[in-house]
């Protein structure tokens, strides 16, 4: 049942400190909720205006009204259901052949899109700096379109991790080797920096090689690419050679 207390708790889950306090986050929309079926995520309960479209035998699904849905949804146009999910305790996987490393990414949409790209290209792990936006931010979850359920996202001290890794650290910058001419090593970390400042100096010191996406427009006036857009272009080039 959707009590006033639960509504208050759920509304607070847009903030990281309350997600950590209650050990919960929300997943919205039947399509994304269905993605949790084959994952390790534990759904505590589901609230839905269309409970007949969800089949989770071990999870209680509560029917609610559209008005009640609006009270617990973070979307401007609420979908059909909200799942209350327990926060996991992800562990670092062993070094993968290709890993995405995020240094200070702040925009939830960028993180969500990068996770979705990782899923598309079969990259199993995304490693984030401690100040990268939280993967369980509602906007991140929504923009992954369910891919968060298949990608291992972990937060760690990047300088410590990159100093110890046995993979080649490849940085992305406005100045670097042309990605269309670059021979990517067999095992590497692809590092993407903050939207406005790029990689921080202490991370850049641990980079073996910087790569860049060349501009082809005649006016050459575009200042930079969105970080998630750049990620898609780079991954497309990497996998075109595999």
């Amino acid at each position: 049942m959707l009590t006033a207390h639960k509504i208050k708790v759920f509304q607070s889950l847009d903030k990281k400190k309350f997600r950590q306090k209650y050990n919960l986050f929300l997943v919205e929309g039947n399509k994304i909720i269905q993605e949790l079926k084959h994952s390790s995520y534990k759904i505590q309960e589901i609230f839905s205006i269309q409970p007949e479209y969800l089949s989770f035998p071990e999870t209680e699904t509560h029917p609610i009204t559209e008005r009640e849905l609006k009270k617990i949804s973070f979307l401007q146009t609420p979908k059909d259901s909200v799942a209350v999910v327990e926060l996991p305790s992800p562990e670092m996987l062993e070094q993968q052949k290709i890993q995405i490393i995020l240094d200070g990414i702040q925009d939830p949409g960028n993180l969500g899109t990068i996770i979705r790209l990782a899923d598309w290209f079969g990259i199993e792990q995304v490693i984030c700096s401690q100040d990268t936006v939280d993967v369980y931010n509602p906007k991140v979850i929504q923009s992954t379109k369910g891919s968060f359920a298949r990608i291992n996202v972990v937060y760690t001290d990047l300088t410590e991790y990159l100093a110890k890794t046995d993979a080649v650290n490849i940085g992305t910058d406005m100045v670097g080797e042309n990605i269309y001419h670059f021979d990517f090593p067999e095992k590497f970390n692809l590092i993407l920096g903050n939207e406005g400042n790029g990689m921080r100096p202490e991370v850049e010191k641990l980079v073996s090689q910087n790569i860049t996406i060349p501009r082809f427009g005649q006016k050459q006036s575009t200042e930079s690419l969105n970080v998630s857009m750049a990620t898609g272009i780079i991954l497309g080039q990497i996998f075109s050679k595999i």
Side-chain angles (χ1 to χ4, degrees), residues 1-14 25-29 33 45-49 62-76 78-84 138:
M1 155 173 207
L2 190 57
T3 63
H5 173 70
K6 284 186 176 181
I7 291 172
K8 185 177 179 181
V9 170
F10 298 160
Q11 288 176 341
S12 75
L13 297 180
D14 65 331
F25 71 102
L26 300 185
V27 177
E28 300 195 45
I33 293 171
E45 55 188 337
I46 299 172
F47 297 89
S48 179
I49 60 172
H62 308 281
I64 58 172
T65 65
E66 289 188 20
R67 185 177 179 182
E68 288 174 315
L69 180 65
K70 288 179 180 178
K71 290 181 180 180
I72 60 174
S73 174
F74 295 125
L75 303 176
Q76 285 190 340
K79 295 185 180 293
D80 31 44
S81 306
V82 173
V84 184

Side-chain angles (χ1 to χ4, degrees), residues 7-242:
I7 291 172
K8 185 177 179 181
V9 170
F10 298 160
Q11 288 176 341
S12 75
L13 297 180
D14 65 331
K15 295 181 175 59
K16 184 178 180 179
K17 66 178 181 179
F18 290 112
R19 291 194 291 272
Q20 292 178 334
K21 176 181 177 179
Y22 296 111
N23 200 42
L24 298 171
F25 71 102
L26 300 185
V27 177
E28 300 195 45
N30 287 349
K31 190 172 181 180
I32 299 180
I33 293 171
Q34 294 285 9
E35 299 280 359
L36 300 175
K37 270 189 175 178
H38 306 293
S39 75
S40 59
Y41 285 96
K42 185 176 180 181
I43 301 176
Q44 197 172 84
E45 55 188 337
I46 299 172
F47 297 89
S48 179
I49 60 172
Q50 296 178 320
E52 65 275 15
Y53 292 106
L54 290 169
S55 177
F56 287 84
E58 297 179 5
T59 303
E60 190 169 2
T61 301
H62 308 281
I64 58 172
T65 65
E66 289 188 20
R67 185 177 179 182
E68 288 174 315
L69 180 65
K70 288 179 180 178
K71 290 181 180 180
I72 60 174
S73 174
F74 295 125
L75 303 176
Q76 285 190 340
T77 306
K79 295 185 180 293
D80 31 44
S81 306
V82 173
V84 184
V85 187
E86 294 181 12
L87 283 178
S89 300
E91 296 182 359
M92 185 88 70
L93 301 177
E94 291 184 6
Q95 176 76 47
Q96 307 291 296
K97 284 190 173 182
I98 303 175
Q99 296 185 144
I100 294 176
I101 311 291
L102 302 179
D103 183 18
I105 298 300
Q106 296 299 301
D107 184 82
N110 281 335
L111 177 57
T113 301
I114 290 169
I115 291 170
R116 195 176 180 194
L117 283 164
D119 188 21
W120 181 266
F121 285 100
I123 296 171
E124 296 180 17
Q125 183 158 258
V126 174
I127 300 173
C128 305
S129 62
Q130 300 285 10
D131 61 343
T132 289
V133 61
D134 182 28
V135 64
Y136 299 110
N137 178 302
K139 292 179 181 177
V140 176
I141 292 296
Q142 205 62 35
S143 60
T144 69
K145 304 297 183 185
S147 288
F148 77 93
R150 291 180 290 276
I151 303 299
N152 194 53
V153 180
V154 291
Y155 291 75
T156 192
D157 182 320
L158 287 192
T159 54
E160 185 178 320
Y161 178 80
L162 294 172
K164 294 179 179 179
T165 182
D166 62 352
V168 179
N169 294 325
I170 306 295
T172 54
D173 202 351
M174 291 298 291
V175 178
E177 188 166 342
N178 187 327
I179 63 165
Y180 301 112
H181 301 154
F182 186 69
D183 290 324
F184 288 91
E186 184 177 347
K187 189 194 298 187
F188 63 94
N189 298 311
L190 178 65
I191 307 168
L192 298 135
N194 173 269
E195 291 90 342
N197 302 314
M199 294 177 288
R200 68 195 79 201
E202 55 267 38
V203 168
E204 197 160 11
K205 286 178 182 178
L206 298 168
V207 167
S208 300
Q209 176 77 51
N210 274 330
I211 57 173
T212 192
I213 302 169
R215 288 183 292 188
F216 293 98
Q218 290 185 352
K219 294 184 179 180
Q220 301 281 298
S221 57
T222 304
E223 183 180 329
S224 63
L225 288 173
N226 173 286
V227 66
S228 56
M229 184 186 298
T231 303
I233 294 170
I234 294 168
L235 292 180
Q237 176 62 13
I238 291 168
F239 283 88
S240 71
K241 297 182 178 182
I242 293 178

